[in-house]
Amino acid sequence: MKNSVLIAFSIMFLGLAQGASAALNVFACEPEWGALVQELGGDKVSIYTATTAMQDPHRIQARPSLIARARSADLLVCTGSELEIGWLPILLRQSGNDAIQPGKAGYFEAANYVQMLEKPTRLDRAEGDVHPGGNPHIQTDPRNILLVANALLPRLTQIDHNNAAYYEARHKAFADRWKSALQRWEKEAVPLKGLPIIVQHKGFPYMENWLGLKEVAALEPKPGVEPTSSHLAEVLSQVQSQKVAVIIRAAYNDGRASDWLAERAKIHALALPFTVGGSEKATDLFGLYEDTIQRLLSAIK
Amino acid sequence: MFNKTPCAVAIGTALMVIFSADVMAADSAELQKIHNEIQQLKENYEARIQSLETRLKDAEAFAAKADDKASQVASAPVSGPPSGANSFNPAISLVLSGTYSNLSQDPANYRITGYVPSGDIGPGKRGFSLAESELGVYANIDPDFYGGLNFAMHPDNTASVEEAFVQTIGLKRGLTFKAGRYFSGIGYLNEQHAHVWDFVDNPLAYQAFLGTQLGEDGLQVKWLAPTDTYLELGAEIGRGRSFPGSDRDKNGAGASTIFAHAGGDVGINQSWRAGLSFLQTSPQNRQYSVIDAAGDTVKNAFTGNSGLWIADFVWKYAPNGDPAFSNFKLQGEYLRRREDGNLAYKVDTSPVISSYASAQSGWYVQGVYQFVPHWRVGLRTERLSSGGVDYGVNNANLLRPDYIPTKNSVMVDYSPSEFSRLRLQLAQDKSRQGAADNQVFLQYIMSLGAHGAHIY
Ligand SMILES: [Zn+2]
């Protein structure tokens, strides 16, 4: 037994001799941040995206594969505001990686750099799955993407100083392209202003704020609580009285509740990509918002 | 907007014009003086323009920043950092659990036939009882350490410290050290708290070989390999206070473990983890009571070496890798123990000391399927092998039954939210020879306060 302990220790210390790889290893909690780091980092970064658009980011399990990837990350880019509270703390604690611990340059929470909406005034689990820091789904407003990009740039240059000029140039090119895309999207989205909508999960307040949509109701009676039939019946009466045009949900949401309601109320049920990879056209950040707006516009035609 | 060059030229020209009349009339010395003065003025203006320009640039940058901000939301107030004396308080979680048990056999004489009892085993009390309720307090201590305490309150009004440990966070190169009292990292189920178990009770093999769960006072080191496939190696040395070890008054370590776990994803839908662990203890005077060949209840004591191997695996399936709607989990573990040393038969009255050697094993396999949100069903089947037991000269005094204990359980649970769970479990427990126990359990598990992340 003593020998096997010794062998284990020697294997561990052999491991210590391993060198670091060339590209900057980035662990992105959600696809939108993986895509953003790709825009800024180009071929100087190697990105692992922990979740896909078809997964509910609130309910990821701390799988072994995620722990292994956190172990070798130089930079962790996550949403924060407790979106990843159910899994990220385990990855951090088990990673044995000092570079990505909170407070270090390698730990980046996007929600720290934008204005948070829906900060709860009452913290009570009876209110469902509430996030004390505010609604974490900040990526539904593309203006937030630029703010996060601005905050991400100094982190990249700080961690990978040698490629600072490269990151700066890519950031500038991205910001320019993004600003003109923003203008285009806002112009296209003018007809959406004031559009009454119903959401499945309260995942779109930032988009509503950006485009001037009016959220009339949510299918989830409380955030994170599955729609119930009595609540759906209540929402149905609201649809009829408030001329709701569309029910929207994220790509990962189960579509049955919104399809049920759409059929009863004779209105559209839309699955929005919600993040990069959430639809065929949302292959990158630009595609994400283009497709989102096109889908919304299609509902009012 | 300013532009430096035309501006300087304009001012320079103006100055030239003003001074040109005087220049014509003046002598060369005067001319030189005027030249110098103009030069000075020019430099002066140049400097002022430069400073103005810097200020302008700053203002522009500020405006751009304000622009980005303005283009963003302004409806939510920006809050300052949280304040107050309790803002650094650790995360406190409370798990409340209770059961109703209907057992066809009397739990008071529960014993796994052919196995050395470990104390904390059996189906628990009949009727209503409090199940294990836990109070956990965890927090980062500083940038280098994380720590926590977990109190378990037992149905019989006793409390015990399940966990009280400190561990390093963010050591470099995949290393983590843990010290204090903790659940050993061996096997798959061993590290999991009772409130995350998929069944009301732990498998028979865990009860028989680990006294339900191995808690350790000691030191643990884990190393995570820098590979994309999860590979973790760990070792522990500890007091060995709990079964299969025994508390003792001695320097050094009474138990040591070594374990390796590997894991990863297969495509997007599947993930897995598998492991191999070894636990070595040297129990001193580990006492237990048993019915001997004459039918009397006697107390024996074992002193010697105990070695336990555990092979474990878990495989999870979730469509698109999203377990929220439906998911399936298959897990199984195989445990094999060898013990050798001395056995004192009737240790309290007229001890007969003999040699003792045993090799026993057991396994369980279980599957849990969440078929719609909130609802899960589970099936568990398990079996122990009494294997070979040799009491030496005490073979005449003690029974060596040739029996294979088995148990089958089925459960269904409903979780209105991730903080609450209600469970019904039916089991047929044949761990006692000739006395099949038909068991019905109803259980609630509720968690209040901070709800920490769960391990895989
Ligand atoms: Zn949410």
Side-chain angles (χ1 to χ4, degrees):
Chain A
M1 181 60 206
K2 287 224 169 87
N3 280 343
S4 35
V5 173
L6 267 180
I7 291 166
F9 274 104
S10 359
I11 294 172
M12 287 179 195
F13 287 103
L14 274 179
L16 301 189
Q18 284 226 347
S21 65
L24 191 73
N25 279 323
V26 180
F27 182 104
C29 283
E30 289 84 23
E32 63 270 22
W33 309 130
L36 181 60
V37 175
Q38 190 64 69
E39 296 284 356
L40 305 191
D43 55 13
K44 304 288 184 216
V45 293
S46 156
I47 300 163
Y48 177 74
T49 303
T51 60
T52 74
M54 303 313 285
Q55 297 172 347
D56 182 344
H58 305 88
R59 302 204 200 160
I60 299 301
Q61 293 188 322
R63 299 195 310 275
S65 57
L66 301 185
I67 297 170
R69 296 296 188 141
R71 152 77 163 90
S72 47
D74 302 305
L75 171 65
L76 186 111
V77 181
C78 296
T79 298
S81 192
E82 299 203 347
L83 178 62
E84 301 96 353
I85 189 91
W87 50 284
L88 188 57
I90 298 232
L91 304 193
L92 292 172
R93 275 206 298 280
Q94 299 201 353
S95 66
N97 180 354
D98 68 327
I100 55 163
Q101 299 299 325
K104 295 280 169 66
Y107 179 82
F108 181 91
E109 278 188 359
N112 287 346
Y113 303 96
V114 307
Q115 184 104 53
M116 298 303 285
L117 293 181
E118 293 185 349
K119 275 197 188 175
T121 47
R122 211 167 85 86
L123 281 181
D124 189 333
R125 288 266 158 72
E127 300 299 313
D129 194 5
V130 291
H131 299 276
N135 190 304
H137 306 295
I138 58 174
Q139 86 287 2
T140 58
D141 180 346
R143 295 171 300 180
N144 287 340
I145 298 292
L146 192 57
L147 290 171
V148 175
N150 295 346
L152 200 50
L153 173 65
R155 292 299 184 93
L156 284 170
T157 57
Q158 187 184 348
I159 295 168
D160 187 14
H161 196 72
N162 291 339
N163 291 313
Y166 177 84
Y167 297 131
E168 273 156 15
R170 285 195 68 104
H171 171 265
K172 192 178 176 313
F174 171 75
D176 289 346
R177 279 200 302 148
W178 198 254
K179 280 175 192 161
S180 63
L182 264 177
Q183 284 181 351
R184 192 173 69 241
W185 295 329
E186 282 168 9
K187 205 176 289 167
E188 284 171 0
V190 165
L192 297 172
K193 210 167 173 69
L195 184 73
I197 59 163
I198 284 179
V199 297
Q200 176 145 349
H201 171 68
K202 280 187 159 293
F204 301 92
Y206 298 89
M207 184 181 81
E208 290 157 14
N209 187 286
W210 174 47
L211 299 177
L213 309 177
K214 210 173 103 217
E215 182 182 310
V216 172
L219 299 188
E220 292 182 351
K222 303 257 164 83
V225 178
E226 299 289 328
T228 58
S229 49
S230 62
H231 181 71
L232 285 180
E234 212 173 286
V235 175
L236 183 59
S237 70
Q238 260 172 303
V239 175
Q240 279 143 358
S241 66
Q242 300 192 41
K243 297 200 176 77
V244 172
V246 59
I247 305 164
I248 61 178
R249 67 172 195 271
Y252 67 77
N253 286 137
D254 175 49
R256 281 183 290 187
S258 61
D259 290 344
W260 179 91
L261 187 66
E263 202 179 300
R264 293 299 133 106
K266 310 233 172 331
I267 56 176
H268 289 270
L270 279 188
L272 297 183
F274 199 61
T275 181
V276 174
S279 72
E280 237 162 70
K281 287 177 183 162
T283 51
D284 63 4
L285 285 167
F286 291 90
L288 167 62
Y289 299 99
E290 248 141 55
D291 195 35
T292 300
I293 288 174
Q294 289 315 316
R295 280 170 188 248
L296 285 170
L297 287 171
S298 75
I300 56 166
K301 260 175 204 155
Chain B
M1 233 168 244
F2 278 94
N3 196 320
K4 183 176 155 184
T5 330
C7 213
V9 170
I11 292 168
T13 316
L15 291 172
M16 296 287 247
V17 171
I18 293 163
F19 287 109
S20 57
D22 296 329
V23 170
M24 304 256 263
D27 57 26
S28 64
E30 190 86 348
L31 200 69
Q32 189 55 46
K33 201 178 147 202
I34 290 167
H35 257 298
N36 290 347
E37 274 174 14
I38 289 173
Q39 196 56 41
Q40 231 171 3
L41 268 169
K42 261 177 89 174
E43 275 164 18
N44 246 334
Y45 272 97
E46 200 96 39
R48 283 186 62 186
I49 285 162
Q50 225 160 33
S51 105
L52 270 174
E53 205 186 15
T54 317
R55 280 173 57 192
L56 180 73
K57 273 225 170 104
D58 285 351
E60 267 177 357
F62 184 76
K65 230 170 141 185
D67 233 34
D68 281 354
K69 274 254 187 288
S71 71
Q72 220 242 335
V73 197
S75 52
V78 187
S79 75
S83 60
N86 65 352
S87 52
F88 279 108
N89 277 355
I92 297 173
S93 70
L94 183 64
V95 176
L96 299 177
S97 181
T99 49
Y100 171 80
S101 311
N102 199 317
L103 310 169
S104 68
Q105 300 286 336
D106 184 359
N109 56 38
Y110 184 84
R111 216 165 256 137
I112 303 176
T113 301
Y115 277 78
V116 172
S118 60
D120 183 18
I121 51 170
K125 288 182 179 153
R126 283 167 153 172
F128 289 97
S129 71
L130 201 60
E132 200 157 278
S133 300
E134 296 173 12
L135 177 66
V137 182
Y138 297 89
N140 287 339
I141 295 161
D142 62 14
D144 301 317
F145 295 102
Y146 170 82
L149 175 76
N150 191 292
F151 265 122
M153 280 145 289
H154 306 287
D156 58 357
N157 277 342
T158 59
S160 66
V161 176
E162 273 197 334
E163 284 188 316
F165 66 85
V166 294
Q167 81 173 57
T168 58
I169 34 173
L171 269 188
K172 284 185 208 310
R173 304 202 181 262
L175 279 171
T176 307
F177 287 88
K178 194 187 246 187
R181 177 171 296 184
Y182 50 84
F183 287 133
S184 167
I186 57 170
Y188 173 67
L189 267 181
N190 195 69
E191 256 189 319
Q192 298 193 348
H193 285 261
H195 70 268
V196 298
W197 294 351
D198 291 322
F199 290 84
V200 172
D201 44 7
N202 243 359
L204 289 179
Y206 263 71
Q207 300 191 19
F209 296 127
L210 293 168
T212 294
Q213 213 167 355
L214 179 67
E216 195 53 285
D217 291 3
L219 178 70
Q220 179 192 69
V221 56
K222 289 203 283 189
W223 176 70
L224 189 60
T227 48
D228 290 349
T229 298
Y230 174 87
L231 176 64
E232 180 192 70
L233 304 177
E236 295 160 351
I237 46 170
R239 184 171 184 81
R241 75 187 154 85
S242 67
F243 190 85
S246 67
D247 213 353
R248 65 222 188 107
D249 178 24
K250 218 173 165 189
N251 290 324
S256 54
T257 69
I258 183 163
F259 51 89
H261 287 114
D265 291 343
V266 182
I268 196 77
N269 298 327
Q270 304 169 52
S271 61
W272 61 278
R273 201 191 88 155
L276 195 62
S277 318
F278 184 69
L279 161 68
Q280 162 78 51
T281 53
S282 27
Q284 307 283 313
N285 197 28
R286 188 181 77 202
Q287 298 198 358
Y288 69 101
S289 64
V290 70
I291 296 168
D292 68 2
D296 300 327
T297 302
V298 296
K299 197 174 258 183
N300 298 342
F302 168 70
T303 297
N305 286 313
S306 175
L308 175 73
W309 283 98
I310 307 177
D312 65 273
F313 83 92
V314 55
W315 174 80
K316 295 188 187 185
Y317 175 89
N320 292 317
D322 184 38
F325 189 82
S326 73
N327 63 75
F328 178 70
K329 174 160 90 168
L330 182 70
Q331 79 187 56
E333 295 186 66
Y334 172 77
L335 293 83
R336 183 175 180 79
R337 181 179 68 184
R338 265 176 189 284
E339 293 195 322
D340 58 76
N342 297 318
L343 189 91
Y345 165 69
K346 284 190 176 172
V347 67
D348 287 342
T349 49
S350 48
V352 181
I353 295 171
S354 68
S355 66
Y356 170 76
S358 74
Q360 299 178 307
S361 62
W363 55 263
Y364 76 90
V365 175
Q366 69 182 53
V368 175
Y369 176 43
Q370 179 179 312
F371 52 101
V372 288
H374 311 301
W375 288 93
R376 308 189 312 162
V377 289
L379 201 62
R380 181 175 69 190
T381 184
E382 40 190 325
R383 183 180 278 249
L384 296 178
S385 157
S386 300
V389 178
D390 185 2
Y391 294 108
V393 295
N394 275 322
N395 279 342
N397 300 321
L398 291 160
L399 295 168
R400 291 187 298 155
D402 185 20
Y403 180 66
I404 294 176
T406 60
K407 188 175 170 187
N408 291 308
S409 314
V410 56
M411 76 88 192
V412 54
D413 65 23
Y414 168 64
S415 309
S417 75
E418 59 177 305
F419 310 108
S420 58
R421 175 165 285 166
L422 304 168
R423 176 179 288 145
L424 168 69
Q425 179 174 322
L426 308 175
Q428 187 173 57
D429 185 351
K430 291 183 176 168
S431 38
R432 282 169 279 192
Q433 192 168 18
D437 190 13
N438 294 315
Q439 308 170 337
V440 180
F441 300 101
L442 282 164
Q443 185 187 30
Y444 67 81
I445 306 164
M446 312 265 165
S447 105
L448 290 73
H451 191 65
H454 289 158
I455 52 179
Y456 178 72

